[in-house]
Amino acid sequence: MEKARRHTLAIGAVEAWLNGLPGTTRGLRPNELRSYPDRRFTGGWRLKVIFPDYPRRLDLLVDDRFPREAPRVALVDRPEFLTWPHIERDGVLCLLPPGARVSVANPAEVAKNVIGEACKLIEDSTAGRNEDDFCAEFLSYWGWAANADAPVFHSLINPQHSTRLIRVWRGRRFYLIGDREEEILLWLKNRFGDNRSKKVPTEEALLLWLDQPILPREFPHAAVDVLTIAQSRTSDGAEILSKLAAGRPDEIVVVFSSSTSNGLCLAGITIPPPRVMTLPGQRRHNPLTRGFRPNSVPEDVLVRRQFGANPIRRSKVDRVDAAWVHGRDQDPRFKWLRASTVAVLGIGSIGAPVALLLAEAGIGRCVLVDPEKLAWVNVGRHPLGASNVGLYKADALADRIKREYPHILSVDVQVRRWEEVADDAPGLLSSSDLIVSTMGDWSAEGALNEWHLTRNRLRPIVYGWTEAHGCAGHAVAIAGRGGCFQCGFNETGVPLLSVAKWPNGPTERQEPACGAVYQPYSPIELGHVVAMISELALDCVLHAPRESTHRIWAGRSSLLESFGGEWTTEWADIARDRVQGGFIEERPWPILTSCIECSVGRRD
């Protein structure tokens, strides 16, 4: 009720302001509102505004979200679509960015400002002062001009500034373009499995690099327009087009590429050959070979006929390359992450989401090591769900990573214990830029620490684990200097520093089965720990640590108390006045002089 009342009052305020303006203003009729069929407009007004060239009618339009949503303005007396920038096909002007915040308390002032912006846009357009906006927002205008029956292009091409031959895979639902056939086939294999890439081969296509994007009035409509652009805007594009045509393909694929103030833009074009005509009582007539034997048409004649008035199809191009997916070409860390390899040991409820986050962040190569299969009991806090029960965790997660991030360079799966991997394929781990261990098994991680020491700790290892009920978590990066992993534990693997203690006794629970011991907590509590481990792993990849370091997540004290726990004395001294918890503490991971693994006396 309050929403309806606010809406009614806002409408009244705008109406009062409009009635005070000179000239004619009236409410929109139902049939006029229906001229915006794809909008949610519930009302509006028509104004006549005097511009330097001649008067124009504007519609001020509101929907049921007004005044929380700004009104829109449409230009009734407008030129042909794509003549002026920032005008959509139905005449509605693009004046404010999506999600723009407006004053709910002063709707009349908001309407006044929107009308003012509309008038400025129209004046700039009539004077030609904003034509460069077509270039800055090229993708929007090309998308509006794309043919409805044209295939969408997915692009893996390297956005380098050069005209060159590229490769295209033509599927039924989309075309995939790339610089090399191998990267196209790898993407398809990762995304869809083996079948799709084997059925359809890749073909040659052309990337035309333009110094600046073409304007809407230059958008090609026929094959000859594409050739004209290649001749006038590139040094060798027309020659490459001619060679493609000489091969007499059933379709020529061309991609325009250019740089704008907002980054790279791409536009896809498909050029079919002229239509074969069949006249009554005559043989089929092929315009390409008319007057010549099929294989003896001179190249210049073939090019003229191929690039004639035959219509083309304009396609949107979606970038699916790694540089765009991970940061839209703006993340300076991307190249380093793309070139890195991370091995994750233990693909459980911690290791699996960590591996997913690292792949999502842009890590180029992953190694997943885990010998176990997913069970129903794992599903509640594991990113793999019921459809993967009975499958090896590492296999199933690798399939998901490749399917969701098909641009990834490789995902190596090892369905066995890490010790077997180290024995049989030693280079797989030692050549990784980082190892992340979330095995949660003291025997296995103690052995990993020993292996790390024998290799002089040349590459960092991040260990991650949680405390009981997910009330706290730890991430430790073992670097070339500082303590080894064993330095933070006693001989039996009990941590020297714990966040929580449990006066009521052990926190483990047991299933009605031999050895089936577990810690009860949900993925909600686990999320903080997973994020902390992943962030430390990313830090280690980007800036290899010199000293071992320890990050600790302390959950909220209310969660701890609800399970009957308390802060340990050691942790209370560290936390001091942060008794409510909910924070990360970073500390050195110092050398333990009595460490049974790395102490000088022991190792000598």
Side-chain angles (χ1 to χ4, degrees):
M1 196 65 184
E2 177 58 32
K3 177 184 176 183
R5 179 175 174 274
R6 186 186 292 273
H7 180 76
T8 301
L9 291 174
I11 293 289
V14 173
E15 207 148 53
W17 169 68
L18 290 171
N19 289 336
L21 295 177
T24 305
T25 301
R26 63 170 176 81
L28 287 175
R29 303 182 183 102
N31 65 308
E32 291 169 336
L33 273 177
R34 286 195 294 272
S35 65
Y36 306 100
D38 298 325
R39 310 286 183 170
R40 298 174 52 186
F41 299 139
T42 56
W45 303 265
R46 181 157 290 178
L47 305 74
K48 182 177 285 188
V49 180
I50 306 301
F51 287 94
D53 51 354
Y54 56 81
R56 297 179 189 272
R57 292 170 295 168
L58 302 180
D59 284 350
L60 181 64
L61 301 150
V62 297
D63 61 20
D64 60 355
R65 293 168 293 188
F66 180 71
R68 295 196 178 277
E69 188 87 8
R72 301 295 300 271
V73 177
L75 178 57
V76 180
D77 304 303
R78 57 187 183 271
E80 183 181 353
F81 181 53
L82 294 181
T83 301
W84 290 351
H86 309 297
I87 304 181
E88 298 185 38
R89 193 179 297 274
D90 59 2
V92 175
L93 308 183
C94 299
L95 300 172
L96 300 177
R101 298 177 180 179
V102 295
S103 171
V104 177
N106 199 344
E109 188 66 22
V110 172
K112 178 181 178 181
N113 289 337
V114 169
I115 290 292
E117 288 295 320
C119 293
K120 181 178 185 304
L121 171 61
I122 294 167
E123 289 171 357
D124 287 344
S125 298
T126 55
R129 290 192 293 264
N130 58 3
E131 195 171 64
D132 286 347
D133 292 355
F134 277 130
C135 296
E137 300 175 11
F138 173 84
L139 294 179
S140 294
Y141 302 106
W142 182 265
W144 288 338
N147 297 97
D149 62 341
V152 172
F153 285 25
H154 292 346
S155 170
L156 292 168
I157 64 169
N158 185 338
Q160 53 185 314
H161 300 183
S162 64
T163 293
R164 61 192 187 275
L165 283 172
I166 55 175
R167 306 293 299 184
V168 60
W169 176 88
R170 294 191 290 156
R172 284 182 297 178
R173 290 189 299 152
F174 66 90
Y175 287 9
L176 181 62
I177 57 173
D179 285 301
R180 300 180 308 281
E181 182 176 69
E182 309 87 75
E183 69 177 351
I184 291 175
L185 297 182
L186 177 62
W187 193 97
L188 291 168
K189 182 178 179 182
N190 285 343
R191 185 73 179 89
F192 302 109
D194 291 328
N195 294 332
R196 191 166 300 197
S197 60
K198 290 180 178 178
K199 290 180 180 178
V200 181
T202 67
E203 305 164 6
E204 284 188 329
L206 174 62
L207 179 75
L208 282 175
W209 175 260
L210 308 178
D211 289 336
Q212 69 177 54
I214 53 177
L215 298 172
R217 63 172 178 269
E218 302 171 303
F219 286 177
H221 296 272
V224 65
D225 300 330
V226 179
L227 182 62
T228 300
I229 291 171
Q231 291 170 334
S232 61
R233 303 281 294 271
T234 69
S235 58
D236 53 356
E239 181 181 350
I240 300 175
L241 263 182
S242 299
K243 290 179 179 178
L244 285 177
R248 296 187 49 194
D250 62 343
E251 183 178 75
I252 295 175
V253 173
V254 178
V255 179
F256 291 158
S257 179
S258 189
S259 184
T260 76
S261 57
N262 295 321
L264 183 77
C265 64
L266 298 167
I269 295 167
T270 51
I271 307 174
R275 292 180 60 186
V276 174
M277 305 293 292
T278 303
L279 300 177
Q282 298 184 18
R283 292 183 305 172
R284 297 181 70 197
H285 173 70
N286 188 337
L288 287 178
T289 59
R290 185 183 69 251
F292 297 91
R293 290 193 299 273
N295 295 318
S296 60
V297 184
E299 183 175 320
D300 60 332
V301 174
L302 190 65
V303 170
R304 283 199 306 272
R305 293 178 176 181
Q306 174 71 69
F307 296 100
N310 44 309
I312 64 166
R313 293 188 298 173
R314 295 182 295 269
S315 292
K316 291 177 60 178
V317 180
D318 291 329
R319 287 186 60 181
V320 298
D321 59 292
W324 181 253
V325 172
H326 301 292
R328 305 191 188 190
D329 274 341
Q330 302 302 313
D331 191 342
R333 305 171 301 173
F334 164 72
K335 289 184 179 179
W336 191 264
L337 294 173
R338 179 74 167 167
S340 298
T341 301
V342 176
V344 181
L345 314 184
I347 309 301
S349 58
I350 299 177
V354 167
L356 281 172
L357 283 173
L358 292 176
E360 189 175 356
I363 291 295
R365 294 178 173 84
C366 296
V367 180
L368 308 180
V369 181
D370 194 300
E372 296 182 350
K373 294 181 178 180
L374 189 74
W376 278 104
V377 73
N378 304 135
V379 170
R381 59 188 188 196
H382 199 285
L384 297 174
S387 60
N388 299 118
V389 169
L391 303 179
Y392 286 106
K393 297 175 184 176
D395 269 335
L397 188 71
D399 287 344
R400 175 172 169 179
I401 288 174
K402 288 187 287 188
R403 187 172 62 252
E404 301 297 335
Y405 311 104
H407 53 270
I408 197 166
L409 296 173
S410 68
V411 184
D412 196 315
V413 175
Q414 298 293 321
V415 184
R416 48 183 175 166
R417 295 163 56 241
W418 84 265
E419 295 94 334
E420 296 174 89
V421 177
D423 289 341
D424 299 341
L428 199 59
L429 297 181
S430 60
S431 63
S432 296
D433 298 286
L434 176 70
I435 295 173
V436 178
S437 175
T438 57
M439 294 183 285
D441 179 274
W442 175 247
S443 173
E445 293 190 321
L448 179 62
N449 181 60
E450 183 179 1
W451 175 87
H452 197 204
L453 287 168
T454 62
R455 282 153 181 77
N456 298 315
R457 302 197 279 182
L458 293 178
R459 305 287 177 91
I461 295 181
V462 169
Y463 297 83
W465 69 97
T466 64
E467 293 193 25
H469 299 291
C471 290
H474 300 259
V476 176
I478 303 301
R481 297 203 300 255
C484 74
F485 189 56
Q486 176 71 62
C487 287
F489 299 83
N490 69 13
E491 294 182 15
T492 60
V494 176
L496 300 181
L497 173 62
S498 293
V499 172
K501 62 181 179 179
W502 308 93
N504 297 326
T507 59
E508 291 87 358
R509 300 289 185 268
Q510 183 166 352
E511 297 177 24
C514 180
V517 177
Y518 65 96
Q519 285 280 3
Y521 57 83
S522 82
I524 306 300
E525 292 85 40
L526 194 60
H528 300 288
V529 183
V530 167
M532 178 182 66
I533 296 169
S534 303
E535 185 177 38
L536 181 57
L538 209 61
D539 289 347
C540 289
V541 169
L542 295 169
H543 309 285
R546 296 183 179 181
E547 300 278 348
S548 297
T549 188
H550 183 193
R551 292 181 188 173
I552 307 163
W553 162 256
R556 293 175 295 105
S557 59
S558 58
L559 177 67
L560 178 70
E561 291 162 3
S562 70
F563 287 112
E566 301 174 357
W567 300 131
T568 63
T569 303
E570 297 84 0
W571 181 251
D573 290 341
I574 294 169
R576 296 181 182 175
D577 58 344
R578 297 173 291 178
V579 294
Q580 299 302 316
F583 65 90
I584 292 176
E585 174 77 11
E586 182 163 353
R587 300 168 57 79
W589 185 264
I591 295 172
L592 182 67
T593 55
S594 59
C595 176
I596 62 173
E597 294 292 344
C598 72
S599 63
V600 175
R602 176 69 65 176
R603 292 196 60 78
D604 285 344

